[in-house]
Amino acid sequence: SISKMARKGDVVIFLLDVGSSACSAPPGHATFLQNALKVINMIVQHRMFADSKDEIGLVLFGTRETDNRLADERGGYDHVTLAREVGPPTLDFLKMLQCEILPGNEEGDFIDALVVGMDHAQHYMKGKKLGDAKFLLFTDCGSPSSGDDLETIRASLESMNAQLQVIGPDISDEEIPNGASGPPPGKRKTQIQISGERILKRLASFVDGTFLSFTDAMETLAFFARRQAKQTSVFRGPLEVGSNLKINVWGYYRVKEQKTISFGKVSAVSQASAHPGSMRVKMERSYHLNDEDQTEVAKENLAQGFWYGKDLIPIASVDKEAMKFKALKCLKALGFTKENNVKPHQYLGEGVVAFVPDPDNRDAGIALSALIHALQEAGYVMIVKYSFRANAEPKIGVCTPHIKPNYECLLFTQLPFMEDLRLFTFASLDKKKLAANDDQVQAVDDLISGMDLTQAVRDEDGELGEGLKPKNTFNPVLQRLYQCIQHRALNPEDALPEVDPLIADCLKIPSALVAANEAAVEKVKAAFPLEKIEKKAKRDASAAAVWKDTGSVDLDNPVSMAKRVRADESLSMAGIARVQIREVGTVDPLGDFKALLGDQEVDLFDEAFSQMRKRVCQLIFDSLGDQYHGKAIECLKALREAAVRFREPAKFNDFSTELKDRLLAGRGSDFWEKIKEGISIIWGFSTWS
Amino acid sequence: GPDKKSWKTAMSSFPTSSWTWGEFYHTGEDDDETEDESNESETRSSSKDSLIFVIDCSESMFEKREDDSPYTLCLRCAKNVLSNKIISSDRDLVGIVFFATEKEKNPTGFKNVFVLHELDSPDAKRILELEDLAEGDVHAKFQVKFGHSKEFSLYDVLWTCGTMFANSSQRVGHKRIMLFTDNDDPHPGNLALQRQAKAKAKDLYENGVEIDLLHLNSPHGTFDPNLFYQYIIMMSEDDDPGILSNPSDKFDELLTRVRLKDHKKRSLMNIPFNLGPDLELGIRVFALVRSTKKGVAAKLDPRSNEEVKSRTKNICEDTGTLLMPTDIKRCYTYGGEKILFEKHEVDSMKRVIEPGLKLLGFKPKSFMKRYYHVKPAHFIYPDETVIQGSSKLFVTLLKRTLARDVIAVCVFVPRTVSSPRFVALVPQAEQFDARGVQICAPGFHLLYLPFADELRKLSYSHMEKASTDQIDKALEVVKKLKFKFSSEAFENPGLQQHYSNLEALALERDAPDEIVDLTEPDVDQMEKRAGNVLKEFSDLVYPHGYETVSVGRKRAGPSGASSEAKKAAPSQGDTQLVVATVQEHAQSGKLSKLTVATLKEYLKAVGRKGTGKKNDLIESVKEHLGI
């Protein structure tokens, strides 16, 4: 039955070969040890991000010293070191992996290491509520192994219910394209290695373990930060059909949007101080009337209200209680409809809930099974009212039958209400001037045929198969955040690392399709005339708009904007009259600036901006006292306004940061306060860069 | 909360001046979390639409057609639009102008033009007034208040509208006139009046006013728009489906036509669609379906009932310093240590590729599974303003993907700060209904594909399968209870109740109008249609005497009293909610406000011991969350 228990953490012990063979490689190639550390690092890192409860330990073999309990008590087990006792992964452990694992240059037996690891795990887990023991053995089999007692070890592994995964040198002798993760080219396997591998494969087969080559391991592990959410039900109750038929079901999220990790805030001021303390940032909120003094109103004196059209309706707390929606928790069928009456592009909500029968109720299972099969056969879906808890506002949604060999369920997705539909009409695209000729149709057809994702990736057997299957795609930003956080954790002073090529590649056209894409794209380019309209046209329209006090520019519709501008003769006359101005002077900087921007012929934004900027600095820093400060603020406002109009917010923001730094560094903090009162940074981005 | 609102405001319309740092703080808050979602929905203070209903009040408009007189239909439509605007875009402006009236009321003093409502945001009084006009002896009421006139000039009517737009104290984005009439030849034989009206219509259009015709059949024959009105209708090419729908005289049809046009179609963004090296076309992205939420509660000063503005400041707890945005670093706790970043670094980490839509390949449509749903879809349509020629390539791509029954898989980055997602472009062909109203627009639906992490692996208990006769009986149930589903038929009861409550308060009524919950199944009707089959099905699948309302009976015990007790405690199904609530309270340091039961439930859910006094429980929770 479905596990209701919280997941227990496993114990993961890395057994790592640091012997002489593992530490040697021809110049320019990574040693086995370096590669192994990379993989271990990745595994530990991912457990840490996944908030895994797994606990981790590390046994080294091939070390110069010997440090383990068995050696002390029984003797033997030489050159095996318990480098880290099992415990939750920490940053210190990561740091240790990065700098403290030194080449051992001795020969250590991996069997010894495994026994030491098992012994430690058994001791550690005794009396604790923990999951399974997992051993990850990294060895290049460069040291001879006794191969003794394999049967005893098998018995111990089985009794512990332990898993064993062996990551060895690449099995085949072929050269690996990216030499870094394979054996150095030309390095042949020694007899010792071959016999060692044989032992390891037997060992692995005992416990259904796996034997991975490095190349495989890197690929499997590169993206394995799969954050498996716990299976928690979101609904338990009857599915009601009519007044008498009730089928007890449980609901679980089957698909749910996952937000990327979020960052907290800390105070840089505190961080920079001698004794940083908690570095916490406290947010204080105050409420103000919209009067001249911005009179503050105490929070406890505030009332609440809602807008109803143009009226703001105050709500007494009694009314608020009475206004709450009252509903019972429910899942009720409204009826059944043909599958194609429900459009996937109208799905709402952030995921899909699977409704399965109450696991303790055999009869419910049969009833639901009958319904699921009936829907499937008829090509119908069920429309339901759904309230996941009491007093939750009801939603409507669709339940689609889903039948797999080992389970059946109804998949629920939320559907829109009338209020949620936005009815837009779009101009027809069925126009003569948009009809394609044969060449054009052929070019697009080639593009479609050439970029067939069903033949995009090679599987283990070298067969081409489907690419970009959702179950094989990973959130690249999450991977990137992991990469950066770990890098910063271990190298606090460094800049952010380059984007890992593995991350960047998954956002590109699959390599198998690149050639076909390029060829087809050339054809499409030849067949379809496409012309980029220079940004300038847009700017002119916007620039003119600055002087026409219409408030918001219709960003969606520059054409209509241009039309409006043309309608206003005096406006363009003003522009023409001033066209000769090429410099922002000190006498009338505002007027000059506006004239420069208003030029209809040439795009002078950059020029105007930089001149105005110079003028502002002059007004602020070269003037004695504050007689020009008012003027400077006027100019700043004009700069900000222009930056907004020309969609160059960064320019203004950079300047204001620079200004702040200069002012605060000198004696200008009073003036900076004044600027702050009237002018802010521009918040927002243009999407078309 | 209210902060989010103002952040959205900042995104959607760049304020030009007098924007203070205080507000900036306020908007800068939560910037890490709200990135993508926030700028999706249009907000109350984004560009306002304005709309004037112009209603012909000639006598023929009062002659009853199939269900009602056209005049009544128009009033009901107008009322409906006002009510909907209150819910979806309550800052839009609406006006109503009657013409061919005996009385007059307009700024210029024209005869036969009566401005019933000046351009203003909708409010409860206006809705009531329209309701009142459309009830009882409608014609008699009209004659008393306005009276008929055979004389009128469309020129005067349009002039009045122009003045209304111009005089509006509020800045307006989009301006539209909807003209309702059943008379296809308003100025027969009077060329001067015809010419004046045409010229004025053109003049208005040049000033950014669109004029749309909502024509109704006259009692004496069908409406011929080619006779005169084709010169009055002024629509931007972009919105015009090219075909004028047939006249309608049913309320639903008229309402649909009105609802299609009563707001400006706004795109969320225009971005490049990259098909390969150096090959881009322009597209615009729309949201056709989004959850409409209740308005956010405003905070008021109780003395003036005026909305207050909130400002937030960030203070350094250690030093007490007021923090500038640049003084705040971002932090992630990793391996027990605080890892610090600058804000811009966090932004840049999220920027793994350039914004836009990038084609990766094609798949047969059948590869698209019904459960690939993580967030609501978008719709894309070509955009000629940045790359000329985009439409043609777009149309060809649309037609060929339709013909070959394939979808395009792309990576989509709506803006610089958003995370890339894989999406499927599902082509949709243009479709019209019988009356020529566009019901499916040409373009691609952009459906979000889940990542591997989002497809949860569930473990299912083994369940017995139903037998063939059980399935056949279920099939009968399905057939008996089938209907043609349409979202249009379901109003959101939560929203409707909320606004009905507000309306009652606005009008100082004693009690709000009861709303009809359309989501509640009509059980009587269902029993009438399928009662017998449902009973037979029950008998087939359930053993005799099966008690169906027994979820959790093992735990709850047999007595009625215990089911009462169960209600008081959070139910099993709410574990996720409990977890979320507790985490939220823990973050804001308010764990002590929670009940012991909730804390215990949480601890149980996360696999910790939930015993001891409340303080012990709180400590346990904190320990678990590492606080």
Side-chain angles (χ1 to χ4, degrees):
Chain A
S1 100
I2 294 163
S3 145
K4 289 168 229 161
M5 300 276 289
R7 207 157 40 89
K8 287 178 288 190
D10 293 331
V11 166
V12 179
I13 297 184
F14 296 103
L15 312 163
L16 175 60
D17 191 346
V18 295
S20 51
S21 157
C23 301
S24 67
H29 291 277
T31 64
F32 179 86
L33 179 61
Q34 283 166 336
N35 283 329
L37 282 171
K38 214 166 152 185
V39 174
I40 294 175
N41 197 47
M42 228 181 253
I43 296 173
V44 174
Q45 176 196 337
H46 288 157
R47 306 261 154 160
M48 285 168 70
F49 281 116
D51 269 333
S52 153
K53 296 201 184 89
D54 292 357
E55 303 195 25
I56 291 174
L58 175 66
V59 174
L60 304 176
F61 58 101
T63 48
R64 208 147 57 88
E65 316 291 332
T66 300
D67 180 7
N68 67 74
R69 204 178 64 96
L70 293 179
D72 297 345
E73 289 180 3
R74 302 186 207 164
Y77 302 95
D78 291 336
H79 305 299
V80 177
T81 302
L82 175 59
R84 187 186 191 261
E85 295 191 7
V86 173
T90 59
L91 205 48
D92 281 336
F93 182 47
L94 278 183
K95 284 177 187 159
M96 170 180 166
L97 286 175
Q98 202 170 54
C99 359
E100 291 165 30
I101 310 292
L102 301 172
N105 289 327
E106 294 289 340
E107 292 189 334
D109 186 344
F110 54 75
I111 296 285
D112 284 352
L114 180 58
V115 175
V116 167
M118 288 195 297
D119 173 67
H120 177 60
Q122 258 166 345
H123 265 262
Y124 183 78
M125 293 168 80
K126 194 176 281 172
K128 291 198 181 73
K129 278 188 184 166
L130 286 161
D132 301 329
K134 290 180 178 166
F135 298 97
L136 273 80
L137 171 59
F138 292 79
T139 177
D140 76 335
C141 306
S143 312
S145 170
S146 58
D148 290 346
D149 294 332
L150 283 192
E151 280 308 315
T152 326
I153 290 169
R154 170 192 195 148
S156 312
L157 282 172
E158 274 173 0
S159 73
M160 286 176 79
N161 197 17
Q163 295 171 32
L164 172 68
Q165 191 161 355
V166 182
I167 292 131
D170 285 285
I171 302 231
S172 76
D173 289 308
E174 283 173 47
E175 275 191 24
I176 305 302
N178 297 325
S181 56
K187 186 176 174 182
R188 292 263 147 200
K189 280 187 193 161
T190 60
Q191 270 311 310
I192 296 177
Q193 281 181 309
I194 291 167
S195 78
E197 269 178 22
R198 208 173 293 137
I199 298 171
L200 283 175
K201 277 186 190 164
R202 271 189 70 199
L203 204 56
S205 69
F206 287 163
V207 281
D208 282 338
T210 40
F211 192 111
L212 286 177
S213 70
F214 251 125
T215 330
D216 295 341
M218 294 294 270
E219 269 174 23
T220 332
L221 297 174
F223 278 130
F224 94 83
R226 207 178 152 127
R227 298 200 294 184
Q228 190 60 54
K230 224 173 58 197
Q231 183 165 339
T232 336
S233 64
V234 289
F235 180 88
R236 295 183 189 186
L239 161 65
E240 300 171 49
V241 186
S243 50
N244 293 315
L245 177 63
K246 294 185 175 65
I247 305 173
N248 290 341
V249 296
W250 289 15
Y252 299 96
Y253 268 113
R254 171 71 177 82
V255 184
K256 186 150 196 284
E257 186 183 6
Q258 189 177 48
K259 308 270 191 252
T260 53
I261 53 183
S262 57
F263 291 80
K265 287 179 180 172
V266 295
S267 160
V269 174
S270 169
Q271 188 210 4
S273 68
H275 306 286
S278 73
M279 302 194 284
R280 263 201 285 271
V281 175
K282 193 169 66 186
M283 208 177 63
E284 283 179 3
R285 181 169 291 154
S286 57
Y287 300 91
H288 304 265
L289 291 177
N290 198 12
D291 57 12
E292 247 173 61
D293 304 328
Q294 303 276 303
T295 316
E296 187 169 342
V297 185
K299 193 178 176 211
E300 50 278 16
N301 292 340
L302 290 174
Q304 267 204 344
F306 285 99
W307 289 97
Y308 183 80
K310 66 173 178 182
D311 306 324
L312 184 52
I313 319 276
I315 307 285
S317 47
V318 198
D319 292 333
K320 209 181 161 194
E321 202 47 49
M323 277 172 68
K324 274 195 183 144
F325 194 86
K326 287 164 199 76
L328 297 171
K329 171 172 144 182
C330 74
L331 180 64
K332 293 176 179 171
L334 291 165
F336 304 92
T337 194
K338 281 211 186 80
E339 191 186 359
N340 59 15
N341 282 336
V342 177
K343 312 274 185 240
H345 60 253
Q346 294 197 332
Y347 286 170
L348 284 180
E350 49 175 17
V352 177
V353 172
F355 284 113
V356 298
D358 175 349
D360 299 331
N361 188 328
R362 172 186 166 273
D363 303 314
I366 291 176
L368 197 69
S369 169
L371 187 61
I372 291 170
H373 281 269
L375 289 172
Q376 175 93 350
E377 270 178 40
Y380 271 65
V381 293
M382 179 169 61
I383 304 295
V384 292
K385 171 185 191 169
Y386 174 51
S387 240
F388 71 98
R389 63 171 166 83
N391 295 339
E393 291 186 5
K395 299 182 167 79
I396 54 167
V398 58
C399 284
T400 316
H402 190 65
I403 301 175
K404 290 275 159 179
N406 53 337
Y407 67 92
E408 297 167 352
C409 64
L410 287 172
L411 292 174
F412 167 90
T413 327
Q414 191 190 327
L415 291 173
F417 290 112
M418 184 270 280
E419 294 92 335
D420 305 331
L421 299 173
R422 309 208 180 145
L423 304 169
F424 292 141
T425 39
F426 290 83
S428 175
L429 292 176
D430 202 11
K431 293 180 187 151
K432 215 180 229 158
K433 65 173 184 186
L434 296 179
N437 62 33
D438 292 349
D439 284 350
Q440 290 167 331
V441 169
Q442 192 56 51
V444 169
D445 268 351
D446 287 353
L447 186 74
I448 295 174
S449 309
M451 296 179 75
D452 181 1
L453 282 170
T454 60
Q455 304 286 311
V457 285
R458 278 187 199 284
D459 60 15
E460 307 92 67
D461 308 324
E463 299 285 317
L464 281 172
E466 187 189 347
L468 293 170
K469 268 190 196 167
K471 68 172 179 187
N472 296 332
T473 59
F474 288 82
N475 186 341
V477 166
L478 210 51
Q479 301 296 329
R480 170 70 176 153
L481 291 173
Y482 291 162
Q483 185 203 357
C484 292
I485 290 168
Q486 173 162 34
H487 188 267
R488 176 62 50 90
L490 298 172
N491 315 278
E493 303 305 320
D494 280 15
L496 297 180
E498 291 290 309
V499 178
D500 189 324
L502 278 172
I503 298 171
D505 285 349
C506 77
L507 295 170
K508 292 183 180 151
I509 296 173
S511 53
L513 305 182
V514 167
N517 169 257
E518 280 171 7
V521 160
E522 284 311 312
K523 275 196 201 166
V524 173
K525 275 200 276 194
F528 290 89
L530 290 166
E531 195 190 337
K532 190 153 189 171
I533 299 167
E534 288 307 311
K535 218 176 173 185
K536 187 183 154 281
K538 218 165 194 180
R539 280 197 171 169
D540 279 349
S542 320
V546 175
W547 319 125
K548 201 170 182 243
D549 192 22
T550 50
S552 61
V553 184
D554 189 351
L555 297 177
D556 277 344
N557 202 349
V559 182
S560 77
M561 197 60 228
K563 206 186 275 174
R564 244 175 284 157
V565 170
R566 236 177 291 125
D568 193 335
E569 286 300 323
S570 61
L571 185 87
S572 38
M573 285 308 291
I576 294 161
R578 296 232 193 154
V579 111
Q580 63 272 32
I581 292 172
R582 282 283 176 267
E583 200 184 49
V584 179
T586 40
V587 183
D588 180 16
L590 273 178
D592 293 350
F593 181 59
K594 291 184 177 184
L596 271 180
L597 291 178
D599 195 313
Q600 303 281 315
E601 305 298 318
V602 215
D603 179 2
L604 294 171
F605 175 78
D606 290 342
E607 182 61 29
F609 194 94
S610 88
Q611 289 198 23
M612 189 61 163
R613 187 185 153 130
K614 220 184 292 168
R615 213 48 79 202
V616 170
C617 290
Q618 209 177 8
L619 285 169
I620 297 172
F621 298 107
D622 299 352
S623 65
L624 295 167
D626 57 4
Q627 73 268 40
Y628 293 121
H629 282 181
K631 202 167 181 180
I633 287 183
E634 286 310 309
C635 291
L636 267 174
K637 281 186 179 162
L639 266 180
R640 185 188 187 285
E641 196 171 300
V644 169
R645 293 286 180 219
F646 285 82
R647 303 207 227 162
E648 297 269 15
K651 270 207 142 108
F652 177 79
N653 291 347
D654 290 349
F655 179 46
S656 88
T657 313
E658 182 196 313
L659 210 54
K660 178 194 155 193
D661 293 346
R662 276 183 76 178
L663 282 167
L664 294 182
R667 292 159 292 131
S669 56
D670 287 351
F671 183 49
W672 177 246
E673 289 300 320
K674 233 191 262 176
I675 295 178
K676 267 174 19 188
E677 282 166 23
I679 304 164
S680 79
I681 281 182
I682 303 165
W683 198 251
F685 295 87
S686 163
T687 48
W688 190 298
S689 48
Chain B
D3 326 306
K4 201 161 168 181
K5 190 185 104 198
S6 87
W7 194 75
K8 285 186 199 168
T9 311
M11 286 300 292
S12 51
S13 56
F14 300 120
T16 44
S17 59
S18 71
W19 209 33
T20 67
W21 277 95
E23 277 159 325
F24 171 63
Y25 279 142
H26 181 158
T27 58
E29 205 185 318
D30 291 340
D31 40 6
D32 292 333
E33 286 77 34
T34 45
E35 42 159 61
D36 295 38
E37 304 74 41
S38 340
N39 26 36
E40 281 237 322
S41 49
E42 299 95 307
T43 58
R44 49 193 299 132
S45 47
S46 69
S47 187
K48 284 173 215 162
D49 288 353
S50 58
L51 168 68
I52 300 178
F53 288 101
V54 174
I55 302 174
D56 185 347
C57 294
S58 309
E59 292 205 36
S60 68
M61 290 285 284
F62 290 80
E63 290 172 29
K64 275 219 163 86
R65 312 290 150 85
E66 266 182 47
D67 38 8
D68 237 326
S69 73
Y71 169 80
T72 317
L73 292 185
C74 295
L75 291 181
R76 283 171 59 199
C77 268
K79 186 237 149 186
N80 202 296
V81 166
L82 287 186
S83 315
N84 285 337
K85 286 230 182 253
I86 280 191
I87 295 177
S88 59
S89 41
D90 61 358
R91 295 293 170 95
D92 283 0
L93 308 180
V94 184
I96 298 181
V97 175
F98 288 167
F99 71 94
T101 52
E102 189 189 357
K103 296 186 183 162
E104 76 226 17
K105 183 180 166 232
N106 61 72
T108 329
F110 291 126
K111 298 256 179 254
N112 318 118
V113 179
F114 195 102
V115 179
L116 181 70
H117 292 162
E118 290 289 348
L119 264 184
D120 205 344
S121 338
D123 62 20
K125 286 195 192 73
R126 288 186 166 194
I127 293 176
L128 274 190
E129 186 181 3
L130 291 177
E131 262 175 16
D132 182 55
L133 285 176
E135 272 166 17
D137 191 343
V138 174
H139 203 172
K141 271 188 205 166
F142 176 84
Q143 275 167 325
V144 173
K145 283 197 169 139
F146 314 101
H148 289 296
S149 157
K150 290 205 165 26
E151 300 293 313
F152 65 92
S153 156
L154 214 48
Y155 170 80
D156 294 348
V157 175
L158 294 176
W159 180 285
T160 304
C161 294
T163 318
M164 286 166 75
F165 285 124
N167 288 352
S168 169
S169 57
Q170 304 183 53
R171 285 175 180 170
V172 230
H174 180 250
K175 309 185 192 83
R176 176 167 284 177
I177 294 171
M178 281 192 179
L179 201 156
F180 295 78
T181 181
D182 64 347
N183 180 0
D184 54 8
D185 194 7
H187 299 308
N190 191 335
L191 288 179
L193 279 183
Q194 290 183 12
R195 200 184 52 243
Q196 281 178 6
K198 288 176 197 172
K200 188 65 204 173
K202 196 155 164 266
D203 176 43
L204 283 176
Y205 182 65
E206 276 165 7
N207 283 288
V209 180
E210 293 191 340
I211 306 175
D212 200 2
L213 177 69
L214 279 298
H215 50 315
L216 302 115
N217 275 326
S218 86
H220 318 294
T222 47
F223 192 105
D224 179 8
N226 295 327
L227 211 53
F228 169 73
Y229 272 103
Q230 59 164 316
Y231 303 106
I232 300 292
I233 302 169
M234 291 285 167
M235 303 271 285
S236 78
E237 199 187 329
D238 188 41
D239 286 329
D240 190 356
I243 302 162
L244 192 64
S245 47
N246 296 328
S248 46
D249 35 30
K250 292 203 184 69
F251 177 65
D252 290 348
E253 287 166 7
L254 193 65
L255 187 61
T256 310
R257 283 168 62 195
V258 171
R259 284 199 57 212
L260 282 169
K261 305 278 181 59
D262 69 6
H263 46 258
K264 163 91 175 138
K265 178 179 72 190
R266 280 181 220 288
S267 62
L268 298 169
M269 63 197 86
N270 54 346
I271 51 162
F273 180 13
N274 178 295
L275 302 183
D278 297 322
L279 177 56
E280 282 182 352
L281 60 149
I283 53 166
R284 285 192 289 156
V285 182
F286 296 86
L288 301 188
V289 188
R290 283 300 177 275
S291 284
T292 300
K293 305 240 163 73
K294 289 176 197 168
V296 179
K299 291 210 163 43
L300 306 179
D301 171 35
R303 282 160 301 180
S304 59
N305 272 351
E306 185 193 317
E307 187 172 12
V308 294
K309 289 194 294 186
S310 86
R311 282 190 202 165
T312 50
K313 285 186 287 194
N314 288 305
I315 311 279
C316 170
E317 270 194 21
D318 297 329
T319 62
T321 330
L322 173 67
L323 297 171
M324 297 286 142
T326 45
D327 295 333
I328 299 173
K329 290 194 177 183
R330 298 299 182 273
C331 125
Y332 183 82
T333 308
Y334 179 67
E337 287 179 36
K338 284 193 171 112
I339 314 299
L340 301 188
F341 297 92
E342 298 291 341
K343 160 106 174 66
H344 69 86
E345 288 180 317
V346 172
D347 292 342
S348 84
M349 283 190 253
K350 293 179 178 173
R351 216 172 295 143
V352 288
I353 57 168
E354 290 296 302
L357 182 68
K358 187 173 159 40
L359 176 69
L360 299 179
F362 297 88
K363 284 183 187 184
K365 203 175 165 201
S366 57
F367 281 53
M368 191 66 200
K369 302 277 189 288
R370 274 214 163 229
Y371 57 87
Y372 287 169
H373 168 72
V374 276
K375 51 199 276 185
H378 283 113
F379 181 75
I380 62 170
Y381 186 83
D383 172 43
E384 287 283 324
T385 60
V386 182
I387 297 170
Q388 235 163 21
S390 296
S391 300
K392 191 162 191 176
L393 179 51
F394 187 95
V395 175
T396 315
L397 202 58
L398 181 67
K399 288 193 172 152
R400 295 318 296 159
T401 46
L402 277 167
R404 300 180 58 174
D405 206 23
V406 291
I407 55 168
V409 178
C410 303
V411 58
F412 181 46
V413 187
R415 41 197 104 221
T416 44
V417 288
S418 28
S419 306
R421 286 209 71 110
F422 295 110
V423 296
L425 300 188
V426 181
Q428 173 174 283
E430 187 175 14
Q431 274 179 38
F432 300 92
D433 70 5
R435 292 196 161 260
V437 177
Q438 187 184 58
I439 48 169
C440 285
F444 291 96
H445 291 290
L446 186 154
L447 270 52
Y448 289 85
L449 297 170
F451 291 119
D453 284 357
E454 294 168 333
L455 290 168
R456 300 192 177 179
K457 283 250 175 304
L458 299 179
S459 57
Y460 301 89
S461 328
H462 176 73
M463 282 311 211
E464 237 172 283
K465 289 194 181 184
S467 65
T468 320
D469 49 335
Q470 286 165 333
I471 294 172
D472 288 346
K473 197 48 87 180
L475 212 48
E476 275 183 57
V477 173
V478 169
K479 291 279 161 67
K480 288 272 186 215
L481 294 177
K482 67 181 181 191
F483 73 116
K484 189 164 176 0
F485 169 77
S486 159
S487 280
E488 298 271 347
F490 296 95
E491 285 178 344
N492 182 343
L495 266 187
Q496 294 294 339
Q497 193 199 304
H498 177 74
Y499 284 99
S500 146
N501 285 331
L502 290 182
E503 187 188 72
L505 288 167
L507 298 170
E508 294 171 353
R509 284 193 199 142
D510 291 339
D513 286 347
E514 275 299 310
I515 61 129
V516 185
D517 184 351
L518 297 169
T519 64
E520 189 57 30
D522 184 347
V523 178
D524 294 340
Q525 186 64 29
M526 286 171 88
E527 287 299 319
K528 219 163 105 191
R529 277 165 66 176
N532 290 337
V533 189
L534 280 167
K535 174 93 180 48
E536 287 162 27
F537 178 71
S538 278
D539 292 344
L540 262 179
V541 292
Y542 290 142
H544 184 68
Y546 176 80
E547 180 58 65
T548 49
V549 247
S550 58
V551 171
R553 76 190 134 162
K554 282 180 196 160
R555 281 176 296 274
S559 78
S562 68
S563 86
E564 217 28 62
K566 221 182 89 198
K567 253 180 220 158
S571 81
Q572 289 284 334
D574 298 344
T575 312
Q576 279 208 338
L577 192 81
V578 168
V579 169
T581 316
V582 170
Q583 281 170 354
E584 210 174 279
H585 280 74
Q587 268 147 26
S588 51
K590 287 177 188 153
L591 279 175
S592 54
K593 299 224 158 126
L594 294 170
T595 62
V596 170
T598 310
L599 292 169
K600 280 190 175 168
E601 166 100 348
Y602 173 81
L603 288 168
K604 200 176 133 204
V606 298
R608 279 190 174 242
K609 245 190 178 166
T611 50
K613 294 208 170 105
K614 188 167 183 179
N615 276 341
D616 302 333
L617 297 175
I618 291 176
E619 278 317 304
S620 250
V621 171
K622 283 187 178 167
E623 208 179 302
H624 177 75
L625 292 171
I627 297 172

